């Protein structure tokens, strides 16, 4: 950890990580990983960067081996950050307070950040970020009760750290204004990171059922969507290392989530303007161009969207799973244009290569083939195969897989007939 023994060393490492982030955003994924790898385990932010790349791969593949590697890397990044955290003084009252928090909910006092060095503050933030991601992946991959309780407590403790950091920033701003940040060794990287994570927490909680939100409110956490979006916007405006992540989360809300399910407070014109500004600086970005294609698809412009997806696919093949994500949306655009044969070919590739949801891929293969030729003998075989491909994630059957499984059974019961199944899928995914 010698590279981060001083505040200056930390800031120098952040500059290098920003370069790796720029490579990543410009579709140079392997170059970004190669830049970060030499200091993996030696630098807090370099280690978190590698852990994030491995987490991205795990989320895209859901492969057990990738999950294990990502969980291990996130745990390692938490340990590296933990070494740099300020040691808390242990007392009888502190132990009793900690025990009480298990019952009443974590409510960490923000004053514990007072007097910390710049490195120690960043260590708190990185530790919380990595711990939350590690617990989330563990809960998805391990469904037993012991794991659920253990990771749930760890996640709550990490949320408490994020909340305390946010309250700390808020307190300094109220008492000393923006000038107070410099006096307390607070930089834009820490500020944007804390505000971003506080925004993500509030946004995630806002999607939960009302009964579950009440439980979190008892523990001191609130899920207000307006506040969440405002925090993410503020984080993006602050600049710093996490600026681009805040923008990507906002794009995901306004463009992707809003296209799948009607959401309040979506602002597509604003998202379009900001996305165009990002593309002006990163014209070869796989991620931003994929978002542009999705926006065109949302605007019912399938022909233009298909062409954009084709350009996106040509940009990179380092991450096959990102290619698969574009292939799925490209299939929707082709279905919207009644290009059944091309759509069938795309979903065939997904069924053979992707592990995301082979149930849905097999069903979309069948319905596109059904639209092309209802008497094709392969359709019945595919429909019979669909129910056996349904799987569970975190102990729960994926709703979409359950839906297509029922539709395939209905197809067989009705004498190998369904009423416009391809258009039903298009409607379901807002592809029309």
């Amino acid at each position: 950890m010698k590279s981060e023994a001083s505040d200056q060393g930390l800031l120098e490492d952040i500059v290098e990580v920003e370069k790796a982030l720029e490579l990543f955003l410009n579709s140079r994924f392997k170059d970004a990983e190669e830049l970060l790898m030499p200091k993996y385990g030696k630098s807090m932010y370099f280690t978190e960067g590698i852990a994030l790349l491995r987490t991205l791969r795990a989320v895209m593949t859901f492969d057990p081996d990738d999950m294990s590697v990502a969980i291990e890397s996130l745990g390692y990044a938490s340990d590296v950050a933990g070494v740099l955290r300020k040691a808390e003084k242990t007392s009888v009252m502190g132990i009793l307070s900690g025990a009480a928090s298990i019952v009443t909910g974590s409510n960490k006092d923000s004053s514990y950040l007072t007097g910390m060095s710049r490195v120690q503050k960043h260590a708190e933030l990185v530790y919380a970020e990595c711990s939350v991601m590690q617990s989330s992946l563990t809960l998805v991959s391990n469904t037993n009760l012991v794991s659920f309780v253990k990771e749930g407590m760890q996640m709550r403790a990490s949320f408490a750290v994020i909340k305390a950091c946010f309250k700390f920033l808020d307190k300094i701003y109220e008492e000393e204004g923006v000038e107070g940040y410099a006096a307390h060794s607070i930089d834009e990287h820490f500020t944007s990171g804390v505000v971003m994570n506080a925004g993500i927490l509030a946004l995630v909680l806002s999607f939960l059922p009302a009964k579950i939100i009440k439980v979190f409110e008892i523990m001191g956490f609130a899920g207000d969507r307006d506040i969440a979006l405002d925090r993410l916007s503020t984080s993006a405006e602050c600049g710093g290392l996490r600026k681009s992540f805040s923008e990507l989360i906002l794009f995901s809300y306004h463009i992707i989530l809003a296209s799948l399910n009607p959401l309040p407070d979506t602002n597509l014109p604003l998202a379009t303007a900001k996305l165009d500004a990002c593309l002006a600086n990163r014209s070869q970005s796989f991620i931003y161009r994929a978002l542009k294609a999705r926006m065109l698809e949302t605007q019912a412009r399938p022909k233009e969207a298909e062409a954009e997806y084709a350009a996106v696919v040509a940009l990179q093949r380092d991450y096959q799973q990102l290619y698969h994500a574009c292939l799925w949306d490209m299939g929707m655009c082709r279905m919207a244009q009644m290009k059944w044969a091309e759509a069938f070919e795309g979903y065939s590739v997904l069924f053979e290569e992707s592990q995301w949801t082979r149930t849905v891929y097999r069903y979309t293969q069948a319905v596109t083939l059904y639209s092309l030729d209802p008497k094709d003998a392969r359709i019945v075989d595919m429909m019979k195969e669909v129910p056996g491909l349904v799987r569970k994630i975190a102990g729960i059957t994926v709703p979409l897989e359950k839906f297509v499984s029922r539709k395939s059974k209905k197809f067989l019961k009705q004498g190998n007939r369904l009423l416009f199944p391809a258009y039903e899928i298009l409607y379901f995914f807002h592809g029309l």
Side-chain angles (χ1 to χ4, degrees), residues 191-345:
T191 304
S192 65
V194 170
V195 177
M196 181 193 78
N197 280 283
I200 293 172
L201 174 58
L203 185 62
V204 171
L205 292 179
S206 73
F207 282 101
L208 297 177
K211 291 182 179 179
I212 298 179
I213 291 178
K214 287 181 180 178
V215 175
F216 277 94
E217 287 175 348
I218 292 172
M219 296 189 293
F221 304 107
D224 188 302
R225 197 167 298 175
D226 291 334
I227 291 176
L229 295 173
D230 182 62
R231 287 175 180 174
L232 288 167
S233 297
T234 301
S235 175
E237 292 168 3
C238 284
L241 180 61
R242 295 168 178 83
K243 166 185 167 66
S244 297
F245 290 113
S246 297
E247 290 176 338
L248 288 173
I249 294 166
L250 287 169
F251 289 145
S252 298
Y253 179 84
H254 291 296
I255 299 173
I256 299 176
L257 291 179
S259 69
L260 296 174
N261 188 48
L263 293 172
D265 306 317
T266 54
N267 192 333
L268 200 58
L270 177 64
T272 303
K274 287 188 174 294
L275 182 58
D276 288 341
C278 290
L279 280 168
N281 297 323
R282 304 184 181 103
S283 60
Q284 297 304 305
S285 172
F286 178 97
I287 295 173
Y288 290 124
R289 292 198 66 172
L291 285 167
K292 179 70 173 180
R294 186 55 182 259
M295 183 173 287
L296 291 169
E297 187 181 353
T298 304
Q299 295 170 338
R301 297 157 69 183
K303 186 175 181 179
E304 295 171 71
E306 183 188 358
E308 188 67 25
Y309 278 125
V312 170
V313 167
L315 281 175
Q316 73 86 38
R317 287 292 183 90
D318 292 342
Y319 277 76
Q320 191 181 36
Q321 293 75 28
L322 292 177
Y323 159 66
H324 289 156
C326 288
L327 200 57
W328 167 264
D329 281 323
M330 196 185 299
M332 287 291 145
C333 294
R334 288 167 174 171
M335 287 173 69
Q337 299 173 79
M338 294 189 292
K339 295 181 177 179
W340 308 119
E342 292 93 331
F344 175 77
E345 289 175 7

